[in-house]
Amino acid sequence: MISKLVNNVYAIKGNFLVYLIDIGESFILIDSSDGSDSSIIIDGIYEILERNSKKLKWIILTSYKREVAGGASVLSRLFSALIISSREVASLLRKGGDKNSNYEPLNVTVELSESNLKYMNEILGVDPRHKITVIKSNTPVSGSIFIMFDPILFTGASRTSGIKNKISYICNAYNFEKVI
């Protein structure tokens, strides 16, 4: 199931939610679900990409938890998309998670650190009318990140409540809600 949250942000529901963001010339995928629902996620991504005549360029993973990273290997290969994560979780993603979160090992292309966070928009090629901010959250695991795109906060496997007047949606692997 595909939901359009705002003009350039889509939610695709498999076992867990993933989010596709139109950044101008291409799309970014936030998280990848757990991998057991890849056909649903793939069909949703194809439908949105074809409708917009663009390609998926990046997959940003908010942690190494299976519900957000388990499908990334398949999606990365299929769409020739590059994977981004925090430096702290990149080694676990390359190993395929930990003893509680097993999946196919990933090839992380960009490791986010304090030195390159300020260049995210340039690295990703974000249209200047929009802005992506990476926030180190360390929840649900050390090294986890939140992604802020305009007034939308993506929290991965973290359940976070609203920050009124700062954001319009909170989106995670389990649900998305409009902040009133």
Side-chain angles (χ1 to χ4, degrees):
M1 177 179 82
I2 299 172
S3 298
K4 187 173 186 178
L5 302 181
V6 294
N7 280 342
N8 47 357
V9 179
Y10 301 86
I12 303 170
K13 175 107 172 92
N15 294 337
F16 298 94
L17 287 158
V18 302
Y19 301 92
L20 206 54
I21 303 172
D22 184 342
I23 59 168
E25 293 184 15
S26 62
F27 276 87
I28 294 173
L29 183 69
I30 305 290
D31 294 330
S32 67
S33 195
D34 66 358
S36 65
D37 57 354
S38 291
S39 63
I40 295 168
I41 302 300
I42 291 166
D43 288 347
I45 292 170
Y46 270 129
E47 183 177 327
I48 295 164
L49 295 179
E50 287 175 4
R51 195 181 314 153
N52 291 279
S53 301
K54 296 180 184 181
K55 69 177 259 181
L56 175 63
K57 186 171 181 180
W58 300 100
I59 299 171
I60 301 177
L61 299 174
T62 56
S63 77
Y64 67 82
K65 300 289 272 181
R66 182 177 181 81
E67 58 264 42
V68 299
S73 183
V74 168
L75 297 175
S76 175
R77 279 194 312 271
L78 184 63
F79 292 100
S80 300
L82 304 174
I83 296 177
I84 299 175
S85 76
S86 73
R87 176 167 285 152
E88 295 86 352
V89 303
S91 62
L92 285 165
L93 291 168
R94 288 185 179 107
K95 293 177 187 174
D98 63 10
K99 62 182 174 161
N100 300 316
S101 297
N102 275 348
Y103 44 84
E104 190 175 337
L106 307 174
N107 180 19
V108 178
T109 308
V110 176
E111 293 181 16
L112 300 174
S113 64
E114 293 298 325
S115 61
N116 64 7
L117 285 179
K118 59 186 165 207
Y119 302 109
M120 277 302 293
N121 292 287
E122 291 84 6
I123 291 169
L124 299 171
V126 177
D127 183 308
R129 294 173 291 176
H130 302 289
K131 182 178 179 188
I132 288 184
T133 305
V134 177
I135 304 161
K136 292 203 169 213
S137 69
N138 290 323
T139 180
V141 296
S142 180
S144 293
I145 57 175
F146 290 170
I147 307 295
M148 180 78 101
F149 177 75
D150 293 336
I152 300 173
L153 182 65
F154 301 91
T155 63
S158 297
R159 298 178 193 256
T160 305
S161 59
I163 307 166
K164 290 190 177 195
N165 301 322
K166 301 276 187 208
I167 57 177
S168 60
Y169 279 91
I170 296 176
C171 303
N172 60 43
Y174 313 103
N175 64 4
F176 56 87
E177 68 179 291
K178 188 164 180 65
V179 177
I180 328 177

